[in-house]
Amino acid sequence: ECSSANDHLDTFCCLQNTLFGMGNPLLDICAVVDKDFLDKYGLKPNDQILAEEKHKEMFEEIVKKFKVEYHAGGATQNSVKVAQWMIQEPHKVATFFGCIGKDMFGKILKEKAEEAHVDAHYYEQSEEPTGTCAACITGDNRSLVANLAAANCYKKEKHLDLEENWKLVEKAHVYYIAGFFLTVSLESILKVAKHASENNKIFCLNLSAPFICEFFKEALMKVMPYVDILFGNETEAAAFAQERGFETEDIEEIAKKAQSLPKENKKRQRIVVFTQGKEGTVMTKGDKVETFPVLEIDQSEIVDTTGAGDAFVGGFLSQLVQDKTFEQCIHAGHYSANVIIRHAGCTFPEKPDFH
């Protein structure tokens, strides 16, 4: 711990690298598309999937046919960036690990991470190109198709296990990994999760997508005993409940049942937080479940909802690393999500106006 007479400096040196994120660094290719485009590639208006063979041409077509914007993305990376943005100073409160290619898109991701003042340490390899994610926007829906490519090449022994990298893991107090990374490196997640649990630090996981709950449930349940804070939205909560045989569609009941799943570190009771778009956010607290209303926003002010969930988590984490109450964490999550949906992709104005 740092102790200096100057409290301001104290906060500064103590906050650096306290938040650790690991995940799939992707470059988002965002475009407003039409229903025909969604139908052609068999996409639901509001979904997150991994690209299959049939989507390969889609990435070329979207660039040719629509006006696209490129934004640094990837769920976990978005969240740590938003957390850093909410905190502003010191820089490098957030550390991020993930795998990219040695190419133009990789270079853009590095630059964007630097601009966001995130301490990104990428594992760079040349077998696969940097991953991309097509965000197909229609109205206030967005259908995400991720082509992981390089992101899928993250290797525990090639990066996480290296002494200088593991030191950064040890430096953190709060860990956040999106469920999407379960498809990439379960062993990396478990190493970090066990470290958090054994040292009574806070490990957070996001359900991320219905397909994670359905097709990666074994990996998900291996990590669950180490999860102190579980995030998800209403669709993911329903998919999770169905896969676990919870026999309820009531979101508060699902939150309670997820809370009471077996847990390693008994010093912390698991907290479950489920967002529901414009409906209130549900959070377990002791043996109660509370609902917190989101901030009002006029439909006409919503540019696109890409990154809203990531932004909510980012706002939440920004207060969590500063030891604020869970109510304050939710308040900050609602604020940052409200800001992000007024901008294209997961982008934000220069400074927050959060109190």
Side-chain angles (χ1 to χ4, degrees):
E1 294 303 297
C2 27
S3 57
S4 75
N6 185 332
D7 276 355
H8 186 62
L9 259 176
D10 199 21
T11 321
F12 259 48
C13 70
C14 282
L15 268 177
Q16 278 192 329
N17 301 107
T18 44
L19 174 61
F20 175 84
M22 179 167 63
N24 300 330
L26 304 174
L27 191 73
D28 287 350
I29 304 170
C30 308
V32 175
V33 302
D34 48 36
K35 194 181 173 301
D36 291 347
F37 185 80
L38 295 182
D39 293 344
K40 179 175 176 180
Y41 293 103
L43 304 176
K44 293 178 193 159
N46 220 7
D47 204 6
Q48 309 92 299
I49 61 166
L50 291 177
E52 293 166 43
E53 207 43 57
K54 64 177 180 189
H55 300 114
K56 287 286 183 272
E57 287 137 47
M58 190 193 84
F59 286 84
E60 289 161 27
E61 187 178 338
I62 196 167
V63 174
K64 281 195 191 120
K65 205 167 164 185
F66 304 98
K67 185 178 166 293
V68 301
E69 283 189 16
Y70 293 96
H71 296 291
T76 306
Q77 187 166 241
N78 284 343
S79 294
V80 299
K81 273 186 185 164
V82 170
Q84 179 66 58
W85 170 72
M86 286 286 283
I87 293 167
Q88 288 284 308
E89 294 202 307
H91 292 164
K92 299 191 175 181
V93 167
T95 311
F96 178 76
F97 287 4
C99 182
I100 58 176
K102 296 181 177 177
D103 51 26
M104 189 58 200
F105 283 176
K107 195 165 161 277
I108 294 174
L109 284 185
K110 283 204 274 195
E111 284 165 6
K112 295 283 184 192
E114 215 164 290
E115 280 166 25
H117 306 299
V118 167
D119 195 11
H121 294 255
Y122 296 112
Y123 168 48
E124 296 180 47
Q125 49 73 62
S126 32
E127 327 272 90
E128 286 280 342
T130 297
T132 50
C133 177
C136 311
I137 298 155
T138 51
D140 61 0
N141 289 321
R142 48 97 191 110
S143 197
L144 306 176
V145 185
N147 180 24
L148 297 184
N152 205 24
C153 301
Y154 190 83
K155 299 276 183 291
K156 174 176 163 290
E157 60 286 355
K158 293 261 178 76
H159 193 262
L160 186 67
D161 292 345
L162 303 183
E163 193 186 348
E164 68 271 25
N165 291 334
W166 187 250
K167 275 200 174 114
L168 286 165
V169 176
E170 291 178 323
K171 216 173 158 188
H173 299 269
V174 175
Y175 301 84
Y176 174 67
I177 298 177
F180 290 126
F181 201 59
L182 287 163
T183 75
V184 175
S185 182
L186 175 62
E187 57 281 12
S188 297
I189 299 177
L190 285 171
K191 183 171 182 181
V192 171
K194 286 175 179 168
H195 167 80
S197 180
E198 285 158 13
N199 294 278
N200 195 26
K201 295 171 174 184
I202 303 174
F203 181 81
C204 316
L205 184 79
N206 203 316
L207 292 174
S208 291
F211 85 83
I212 297 290
C213 305
E214 291 159 24
F215 305 115
F216 292 88
K217 57 181 168 204
E218 278 172 31
L220 177 61
M221 294 320 289
K222 278 189 180 144
V223 179
M224 198 56 75
Y226 306 102
V227 177
D228 296 300
I229 303 179
L230 180 68
F231 293 104
N233 65 20
E234 73 279 36
T235 341
E236 294 146 14
F240 183 67
Q242 204 175 346
E243 290 302 325
R244 300 290 342 130
F246 284 173
E247 293 183 348
T248 177
E249 287 176 10
D250 179 286
I251 194 147
E252 296 195 2
E253 278 305 305
I254 297 171
K256 269 190 168 143
K257 291 194 171 195
Q259 179 187 36
S260 59
L261 289 167
K263 190 166 185 306
E264 278 294 319
N265 177 10
K266 304 283 190 280
K267 292 182 197 148
R268 295 182 187 276
Q269 186 182 24
R270 179 178 299 122
I271 290 186
V272 179
V273 183
F274 288 147
T275 57
Q276 312 182 74
K278 58 179 179 293
E279 305 305 321
T281 298
V282 168
M283 176 173 74
T284 59
K285 187 137 194 262
D287 47 11
K288 303 201 304 288
V289 181
E290 290 183 45
T291 304
F292 299 84
V294 302
L295 296 168
E296 294 280 307
I297 184 169
D298 206 291
Q299 192 68 30
S300 64
E301 291 176 28
I302 299 176
V303 174
D304 84 64
T305 54
T306 310
D310 299 337
F312 170 80
V313 172
F316 190 103
L317 296 171
S318 73
Q319 305 307 297
L320 190 63
V321 294
Q322 299 181 76
D323 295 323
K324 299 286 204 293
T325 67
F326 290 117
E327 287 76 6
Q328 283 170 299
C329 293
I330 289 208
H331 176 48
H334 285 166
Y335 168 78
S336 45
N338 182 275
V339 170
I340 262 72
I341 59 181
R342 298 165 191 267
H343 297 82
C346 195
T347 59
F348 32 80
E350 195 189 336
K351 280 192 163 68
D353 177 22
F354 174 71
H355 310 291

